[in-house]
Amino acid sequence: QNPYWLWLGENRESLTKEAGSGKGSAVGKLAGQKWKTMSEAAKKPYEKKAEALKQEYEQKMADFVAAGGVKGKRRAEKAEAKAAKGGSKKARKEARAASGQPKKPPTGYWLYLKENREAIEKAAGSKKPTLVASLAGKKWKAMSDAQKKPFEDKAAMAKVEYQKAMEEGKKNG
């Protein structure tokens, strides 16, 4: 730990009262201001303590490595576990597709968007997904239930098929 963190640990309670809030951001801001205005003499004991802790840590690490330990082993193991778990979003998506698990069915809105994307893009005057989705959402909300019904019926049928496929996958898998 550095001298500032040692000082903060000892003075957090009084700083919290002074800040009037237990929020880390409020306490941290006040602590930073106070630390900057402290004299070198007031900081000296914390600097000595930090140096002593650093020496102790380095000695323990040297003993650990001398005894056959590997520095940074846990961090490396954690990174390997994360990579083995699936890594990137793209890799997880590909793994799911390869597993044969069915894709979730689209909602009525997504079926509407798919069917009317070209007209919505023309109305929006752009192909930017954010603009198209925004305009499509406004149009979807403005539609009556009768106008939404064909899309919602298709979505309900797709959901039933998806649930059947999932049940079958659970039975077989």
Side-chain angles (χ1 to χ4, degrees), residues 5-85:
W5 284 106
L6 293 170
W7 172 80
L8 182 61
E10 287 181 14
N11 297 287
R12 180 176 296 278
E13 203 171 305
S14 62
L15 288 166
T16 302
K17 287 178 185 173
E18 194 175 329
S21 169
K23 267 186 143 180
S25 57
V27 173
K29 190 173 186 176
L30 178 64
Q33 291 169 349
K34 286 200 172 248
W35 179 257
K36 286 178 186 173
T37 59
M38 280 176 64
S39 66
E40 288 299 316
K43 291 180 182 180
K44 197 76 173 161
Y46 298 103
E47 290 170 353
K48 284 183 181 177
K49 194 173 183 181
E51 188 60 36
L53 287 170
K54 184 177 179 184
Q55 294 295 328
E56 182 184 340
Y57 167 78
E58 287 174 350
Q59 180 60 45
K60 285 182 179 179
M61 182 56 76
D63 293 345
F64 174 71
V65 171
V70 179
K71 189 176 180 180
K73 183 179 178 185
R74 282 191 188 155
R75 184 177 291 156
E77 286 173 351
K78 194 173 180 181
E80 284 176 25
K82 187 175 182 180
K85 183 180 170 188

Side-chain angles (χ1 to χ4, degrees), residues 36-166:
K36 286 178 186 173
T37 59
M38 280 176 64
S39 66
E40 288 299 316
K43 291 180 182 180
K44 197 76 173 161
Y46 298 103
E47 290 170 353
K48 284 183 181 177
K49 194 173 183 181
E51 188 60 36
L53 287 170
K54 184 177 179 184
Q55 294 295 328
E56 182 184 340
Y57 167 78
E58 287 174 350
Q59 180 60 45
K60 285 182 179 179
M61 182 56 76
D63 293 345
F64 174 71
V65 171
V70 179
K71 189 176 180 180
K73 183 179 178 185
R74 282 191 188 155
R75 184 177 291 156
E77 286 173 351
K78 194 173 180 181
E80 284 176 25
K82 187 175 182 180
K85 183 180 170 188
S88 69
K89 189 174 183 178
K90 185 177 179 182
R92 288 193 305 269
K93 191 174 183 181
E94 289 172 356
R96 182 181 171 145
S99 73
Q101 192 175 12
K103 277 183 148 185
K104 281 192 172 182
T107 63
Y109 166 76
W110 285 106
L111 292 170
Y112 162 77
L113 181 59
K114 182 179 179 184
E115 204 169 288
N116 296 289
R117 180 174 289 278
E118 286 182 28
I120 295 169
E121 284 174 354
K122 284 181 184 174
S126 173
K127 289 190 174 195
K128 282 188 176 179
T130 52
L131 295 174
V132 173
S134 176
L135 182 60
K138 288 175 186 171
K139 287 187 173 197
W140 177 257
K141 286 178 184 174
M143 289 172 65
S144 68
D145 288 341
Q147 290 173 314
K148 291 180 182 180
K149 190 167 180 12
F151 301 107
E152 290 174 343
D153 288 345
K154 287 179 190 175
M157 288 174 54
K159 187 174 183 179
V160 169
E161 289 176 26
Y162 169 76
Q163 288 172 337
K164 283 181 186 174
M166 288 299 286

